């Protein structure tokens, strides 16, 4: 099996697994404490959670606070719904290529939502007009389907001038590139070689947030519920490793990208080639039915779009936002690679994919 779907999820780093095991089962039974219990067992678990929090915090801009959540989807819900005091009665603006965790949540908020368009390269114009009464803007840093890197610094500056809040979905950026400045930032451990089932929301110091989940008052009252020390430790170890290896991983990915461009020379690239995370090769070829291609090439795991959208069978709304026709979108594949991918794996997968594509005409 060749895994080329790094945007859907990434393999757990051995270092993250190791960090988790201690909190799943201690040989003397001493590592199962509730991190919110005041006794010694609880305090040990709490110490592990706080070490993890510091490691995760190192991903973000200085200052602010890290709230652990069950996923980035939850973190984005907390960001968009939780800042109601600043946003209510004003318009929410999001880019046309946001993940459904942002789009569906924004559409569910009370009040108006404006969609900010992207160009043919999958990039938002930094000078895009914002609504006069804008209260919140959400623009992702790296897109999950096409890998384009948005000009979030320019947009954040304009959002601040407008007196609004800026939310950034940094799920596909975290651990790969330095995270953008924003007021609220969401990340997910399983996208940077950590475990599934844990994410985080970073919140700038002065932002007022209402909880979505109430109860025991954990996470400073922002997100009640007992934390899993194992998941926190795994996320913390993955964050530390990603920061330590950021340049090495990026250089490895850049090498694979150049190689992949040659292997798929007959295909056309979707989205900007420059403003892009290079571990995401989203390409199309005329007359291809990707659903058939995927069933023909069973040894290589790649994607027809985002993992969440691919079950619907509808052409990708992200590729549609770039102006691609439904046929072009249906003929597009996303090949995602990263830290543990080898050039040999790319060679083998390209041979299978190109062969199956040629069979289709
Ligand atoms: N945002 C982006 C850009 C994503 O790629 C994903 C996952 O696919 C999410 C949000 C949701 O993350 P999670 O799986 O942690 O809910």
């Amino acid at each position: 099996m060749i895994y080329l779907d790094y945007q859907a999820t990434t393999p757990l780093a051995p270092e993250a697994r190791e960090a988790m095991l201690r909190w799943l089962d201690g040989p003397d039974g001493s590592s199962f404490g509730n991190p919110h219990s005041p006794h010694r067992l609880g305090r040990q678990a709490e110490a592990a959670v706080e070490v993890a929090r510091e490691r995760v915090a190192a991903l973000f801009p200085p200052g602010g606070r890290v709230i652990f959540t069950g996923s980035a989807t939850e973190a984005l819900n907390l960001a968009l719904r939780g800042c109601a005091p600043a946003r209510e009665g004003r318009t929410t603006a999001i880019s046309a290529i946001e993940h459904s965790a942002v789009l569906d949540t924004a559409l569910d908020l009370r009040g108006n939502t404006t969609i900010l368009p992207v160009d043919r390269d999958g990039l938002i114009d930094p000078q895009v007009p914002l609504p006069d009464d804008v209260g919140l803007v959400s623009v992702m840093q790296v897109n999950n389907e096409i890998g384009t890197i948005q000009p979030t610094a320019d947009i954040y500056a304009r959002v601040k001038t407008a007196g609004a809040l800026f939310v950034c979905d940094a799920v596909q950026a975290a651990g790969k590139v330095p995270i953008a400045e924003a007021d609220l930032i969401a990340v997910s451990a399983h996208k940077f070689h950590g475990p599934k089932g844990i994410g985080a929301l970073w919140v700038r110091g002065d932002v007022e947030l209402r909880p979505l989940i109430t109860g025991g008052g954990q996470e400073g009252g922002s997100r009640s519920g007992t934390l899993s020390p194992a998941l926190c430790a795994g996320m913390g170890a993955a964050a530390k490793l990603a920061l330590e290896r950021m340049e090495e991983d990026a250089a490895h990915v850049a090498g694979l990208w150049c190689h992949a461009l040659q292997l798929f020379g007959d295909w056309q690239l979707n989205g900007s080639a420059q403003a892009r995370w290079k571990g995401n090769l989203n390409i199309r070829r005329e007359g291809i039915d990707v659903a058939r291609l995927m069933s023909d090439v069973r040894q290589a795991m790649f994607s027809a779009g985002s993992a969440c959208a691919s079950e619907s069978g509808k052409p990708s709304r992200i590729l549609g936002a770039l102006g691609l026709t439904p046929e072009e979108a249906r003929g597009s594949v996303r090949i995602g690679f990263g830290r543990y991918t080898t050039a040999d794996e790319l060679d083998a997968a390209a041979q299978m994919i190109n062969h199956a594509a040629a069979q289709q005409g």
Side-chain angles (χ1 to χ4, degrees):
M1 187 201 75
I2 301 170
Y3 185 72
L4 294 174
D5 203 7
Y6 267 60
Q7 283 69 38
T9 194
T10 55
L12 186 68
E15 293 85 343
R17 180 177 179 277
E18 191 59 36
M20 292 170 73
L21 287 178
R22 151 103 173 73
W23 298 102
L24 288 171
D25 194 11
D28 55 359
S30 66
S31 62
F32 58 86
N34 181 329
H36 315 294
S37 297
H39 49 62
R40 189 156 57 89
L41 206 61
R43 285 205 311 273
Q44 281 172 359
E46 187 197 15
V49 167
E50 294 314 315
V51 167
R53 197 187 304 280
E54 272 177 38
R55 290 176 170 177
V56 173
L59 292 170
F60 294 102
R65 63 195 160 108
V66 170
I67 302 167
F68 284 119
T69 60
S71 62
T73 300
E74 186 195 325
L76 288 162
N77 268 268
L78 179 56
L80 294 170
R81 296 181 195 277
C83 61
R87 155 185 71 66
E88 245 161 35
R90 299 163 77 187
T91 297
T92 297
I94 66 168
S95 90
I97 57 169
E98 293 302 299
H99 188 274
S100 311
V102 169
L103 174 66
D104 290 359
T105 308
L107 293 177
D108 193 50
L109 298 175
R110 253 189 290 150
N112 295 331
T113 300
T114 293
I115 307 289
L116 308 172
V118 293
D119 64 15
R120 182 83 191 173
D121 274 343
L123 296 171
I124 190 167
D125 175 359
Q127 296 311 319
V128 65
L130 298 174
D132 289 341
D133 67 338
V134 71
L136 183 142
V137 177
S138 192
V139 175
M140 69 202 321
Q141 189 174 353
V142 176
N143 181 266
N144 48 306
E145 274 192 50
I146 50 174
T148 51
I149 300 178
Q150 302 304 318
T152 49
D154 296 332
I155 294 172
Y156 183 38
R158 292 188 50 227
V159 172
K160 268 207 292 200
T161 308
L165 284 179
F166 184 56
V167 175
C168 185
D169 171 349
V171 168
Q172 298 288 343
K176 301 185 179 78
V177 293
I179 288 187
E181 292 275 343
D183 294 312
L184 301 115
I185 307 174
V187 299
S188 180
H190 74 103
K191 308 287 186 173
F192 55 87
H193 306 289
K196 292 168 192 57
I198 182 161
L201 180 68
W202 177 87
V203 186
R204 194 172 287 287
D206 52 357
V207 174
E208 195 191 331
L209 203 62
R210 264 193 222 152
L212 292 187
I213 303 174
T214 48
Q218 289 92 345
E219 297 300 86
S222 292
R223 198 264 190 179
S224 288
T226 303
L227 288 172
S228 158
L231 291 177
C232 294
M235 184 174 191
K240 179 171 179 283
L241 189 66
L243 282 173
E244 286 166 0
R245 297 181 50 123
M246 195 172 271
E247 275 182 34
E248 191 188 334
D249 283 352
H252 175 62
V253 163
L256 292 173
W257 165 263
C258 291
H259 191 52
L261 280 184
Q262 287 173 350
L263 293 172
F264 293 98
D266 295 343
W267 298 66
Q268 274 175 293
L269 186 65
N270 291 328
S272 167
Q274 285 80 39
R276 184 189 199 98
W277 169 245
K278 294 202 156 60
N280 179 326
L281 183 72
N282 193 312
I283 45 178
R284 66 178 188 278
R285 195 160 144 165
E286 216 183 304
I288 298 295
D289 173 10
V290 167
R292 229 180 90 197
L293 193 73
M294 287 177 72
S295 72
D296 288 347
V297 184
R298 291 195 175 272
Q299 306 297 75
M301 313 290 129
F302 58 99
S303 169
S306 77
C308 325
S310 51
E311 272 168 29
S312 71
K314 290 194 197 134
S316 150
R317 69 175 165 81
I318 306 300
L319 296 178
L322 268 65
L324 266 64
T325 63
E327 289 68 38
E328 286 175 323
R330 280 206 185 87
S332 297
V333 295
R334 182 186 69 189
I335 295 170
F337 40 84
R339 185 185 295 165
Y340 303 111
T341 313
T342 65
D344 287 350
E345 285 181 308
L346 273 186
D347 286 337
Q351 204 182 1
M352 289 186 271
I353 294 169
N354 283 328
H355 177 73
Q359 301 287 92
Q360 286 191 25

